[in-house]
Amino acid sequence: MDSQTSQASAQESQKTQGSQEPQEEAQASQASRPAPSAHTFQVDLRGLVDLLSHHLYSSPRVYLRELLQNAVDAITARRAEEQDAPARVRLHADGGTLRVEDTGVGLTESDVHQLLATIGRSSKRAEGLQEARSDFLGQFGIGLLACFVVAERIRVVSRSARTPDAPPVEWTARDDGSYTVRTLPDSARPEPGTTVHLQARAGAGEWLTEERVLALARDFGSLLPYDVRVGEEAVTDLPAPWDRAYPSPAARRVALARHCHDLFGFSPLDSIDLDVPVAGIRGVAYVLPSAVSPAQRAGHRVHLKGMLLTERAEQLLPDWAFFVRCVLDTDSLRPTASRESLYEDETLAAVREALGERIRSWLTGLAAGDPERLAAFLSVHHLGVKSLARHDTEMLRTMLPWLPFETTDGRLSLEEFAQRHPVVHFTRSVEEYRQVAPIASAQGIGVVNGGYTYDSELVEALPSVRPGTAVAELDADTVTAHLDAVDPAEELALAGFLATARAKLDPLGCDVVLRAFHPLSVPALHLDDRAARHERARAEAETQADDLWAGILGSLRGSAPRARLVLNHLNPLIRRISSLGEAELVGTATESLYGQALLMAQRPLRPADSALLNRAFIGLLEWATHGEDGHR
């Protein structure tokens, strides 16, 4: 045993030594190789400027937003250290040049090299300001380059408030990617702050006219917290319309309606305050005066700390709230790099939920205290409320007495309809409803048309908010069961007529049934359900498929009931047709009844159905004209 162990140890030692030799050789080989050299990325500055200034932003108009943003952030930075520092922004435009002056924190020569000449570095990342970064609008350090959309040269003259002894500094950049920096005498800018000069590029002078600059400044900066002017014209208009004091609720409603018309171009049905202090949101939602498609993506105006961020924020509200347009100011949501949309994150999701809850509370309040305004709202936007009620049991319970549905008793709420009928029957399609509505109404069967958007889902949810309510989907068997059977002796006497009619419609996948029902004016009723239509479509596809697919489709053959043509034994026309002795004429008349029943149900016609209608029409004409000839 000891000998075997010794031999094993020796072999293991040899293996270990053998494995170490190649490792040592590999290490020696690596040591002899030269170390990899480090390289820096080569950046085509002109190309990068073109990319950022012409492709990151959707329109040249954003250049002014970036200038205002930089000025406001500079003032914010200065006031973080000097609470009483002046807070002014002045813009002067003449069509060829634009000058923007601010009383902000300013820059030293070192700041200019570090911040203006380094793309991607933001002054808001500077030491000492990281904690206060949420107070700033811009966070990406690329905004100034947007000015190259309209300018061929940017000149910045700045004096630092943090280093009062530092001389003013000038930074001049051109759209070819080059820049120069130099210091200036104290007289060039005696007070702290920054002045940005733009020189228009060829063809872009219209963006630097005083009229255009004033319009853009008011659009972007009307809610900014500082004194901003274009020439002598004030830009800011504070407080915001939703934060102002009004003499009465009616006066506030009128003022907000005027604000909505000026902003969105319509007079709202109502306005909803959007106050979410936890998320730092203040604003208002305006209810559209006309119906819109639920698939239409609404564009909302979002201000970030007073600066307009976007006019097309689509993801701000839940999808079901498509009936409002909102404008708000926030200090919590994150912008994308272009600052033209919102960054989708957990904060935005929480804000979306909070705003949706605010709109939901408004609807609940209308239901509890203002039924007239609620009725006016639902007459236009019932679809949006139905969408919400599908997933919100409490909303369905609240809106139950108000939401309108098409029924055999007229346009009613589900609450009123359920009080009239022990069983709430419904159809899943408009076509099915049109088939059975006249007959069901005559037989005392209450039916709700569930073929419209969300309606069938809400009917099925009815027992969850109204315990004890019976809900059932109406099918052809249920309707047929409520129709009176014909006396067996009379039906036996018509056996030949029924056999001829059934043989005529059998190729179309339709049975013929004889019943007695009201109204008497209806000669025939076409009853069909989804299972029957599915089986008919499968059979048609099987006849047109090759052997392989025909076999597959044949294996899917179901036992679903076929469509049926219910003939009304009480109708005089049916009685006359059943007494005809000519089989061919009976067949043509049966086809005509079938086609007429399809048209009455407003069902889409298959090619075979259209061919049958044409054949029956021609057949009846031939019979009628033949009868005329025989009479002559």
Side-chain angles (χ1 to χ4, degrees), residues 547-589:
D547 293 342
L548 175 61
W549 282 107
I552 295 174
L553 292 170
S555 66
L556 300 176
R557 183 181 296 110
S559 58
R562 304 202 304 172
R564 65 197 70 175
L565 182 69
V566 183
L567 303 179
N568 188 359
H569 186 56
L570 301 180
N571 180 268
L573 176 62
I574 295 298
R575 288 181 175 273
R576 289 196 295 271
I577 293 176
S578 63
S579 63
L580 294 174
E582 189 177 342
E584 184 177 351
L585 181 57
V586 169
T588 301

Side-chain angles (χ1 to χ4, degrees), residues 332-348:
S332 63
L333 299 178
R334 291 175 56 194
T336 58
S338 66
R339 289 181 291 283
E340 294 187 275
S341 59
L342 297 173
Y343 186 81
E344 184 70 45
D345 57 9
E346 293 181 357
T347 302
L348 180 57

Side-chain angles (χ1 to χ4, degrees), residues 255-490:
L256 289 179
R258 186 183 307 113
H259 175 250
C260 175
H261 189 274
D262 293 341
L263 205 60
F264 294 114
F266 64 85
S267 297
L269 284 178
D270 204 353
S271 57
I272 308 168
D273 286 327
L274 301 178
D275 187 5
V276 187
V278 175
I281 286 178
R282 289 284 296 163
V284 62
Y286 294 114
V287 181
L288 293 168
S290 56
V292 294
S293 168
Q296 180 177 334
R297 303 298 294 179
H300 309 289
R301 288 176 64 95
V302 177
H303 295 256
L304 179 62
K305 305 177 185 71
M307 181 72 74
L308 178 65
L309 179 70
T310 178
E311 300 175 281
R312 300 183 299 275
E314 296 181 349
Q315 69 273 46
L316 187 64
L317 296 181
D319 290 341
W320 55 262
F322 55 83
F323 50 83
V324 299
R325 297 290 181 271
C326 69
V327 53
L328 56 82
D329 188 23
T330 176
D331 59 15
S332 63
L333 299 178
R334 291 175 56 194
T336 58
S338 66
R339 289 181 291 283
E340 294 187 275
S341 59
L342 297 173
Y343 186 81
E344 184 70 45
D345 57 9
E346 293 181 357
T347 302
L348 180 57
V351 166
R352 185 186 300 121
E353 182 177 351
L355 295 179
E357 181 59 36
R358 185 66 194 87
I359 297 173
R360 184 185 291 109
S361 298
W362 170 78
L363 284 171
T364 305
L366 285 187
D370 200 340
E372 291 185 2
R373 288 171 67 195
L374 178 63
F377 167 75
L378 289 178
S379 66
V380 179
H381 295 298
H382 59 274
L383 199 59
V385 179
K386 287 181 177 181
S387 174
L388 172 59
R390 289 183 306 153
H391 308 293
D392 191 322
T393 303
E394 188 59 36
M395 180 57 64
L396 177 59
R397 183 179 291 108
T398 301
M399 293 291 111
L400 200 58
W402 307 100
L403 289 175
F405 289 79
E406 182 181 355
T407 76
T408 49
D409 292 352
R411 197 161 181 80
L412 301 174
S413 69
L414 287 181
E415 174 69 27
E416 186 176 357
F417 187 81
Q419 291 174 356
R420 298 183 180 185
H421 299 278
V423 179
V424 179
H425 290 96
F426 71 98
T427 63
R428 292 191 182 276
S429 70
V430 176
E431 290 79 10
E432 291 174 0
Y433 177 80
R434 288 170 178 167
Q435 287 182 70
V436 302
I439 308 304
S441 179
Q443 307 305 313
I445 307 173
V447 185
V448 178
N449 184 358
Y452 296 113
T453 307
Y454 311 133
D455 283 8
S456 62
E457 298 174 69
L458 293 177
V459 175
E460 290 180 299
L462 188 57
S464 66
V465 296
R466 199 177 188 276
T469 303
V471 174
E473 182 176 356
L474 188 68
D475 55 22
D477 289 336
T478 304
V479 177
T480 305
H482 280 78
L483 304 180
D484 294 333
V486 178
D487 181 82
E490 293 186 38

Side-chain angles (χ1 to χ4, degrees), residues 160-239:
S160 175
R162 292 177 181 161
T163 314
D165 296 336
V169 61
E170 176 191 74
W171 176 82
T172 303
R174 296 184 176 277
D175 58 0
D176 62 1
S178 64
Y179 74 92
T180 59
V181 179
R182 63 171 181 155
T183 58
L184 301 175
D186 289 347
S187 60
R189 184 169 182 103
E191 299 295 329
T194 300
T195 302
V196 179
H197 302 262
L198 299 187
Q199 181 177 321
R201 67 167 55 247
E206 62 171 317
W207 292 100
L208 272 62
T209 61
E210 184 173 7
E211 182 181 5
R212 177 64 68 89
V213 169
L214 178 59
L216 292 177
R218 283 177 172 168
D219 195 30
F220 285 119
S222 62
L223 301 183
L224 290 175
Y226 304 133
D227 180 15
V228 182
R229 295 176 182 272
V230 177
E232 299 300 323
E233 297 289 336
V235 168
T236 53
D237 186 19
L238 295 177

Side-chain angles (χ1 to χ4, degrees), residues 78-86:
R78 184 176 180 183
R79 283 205 157 185
E81 302 174 1
E82 304 175 46
Q83 293 184 358
D84 297 329

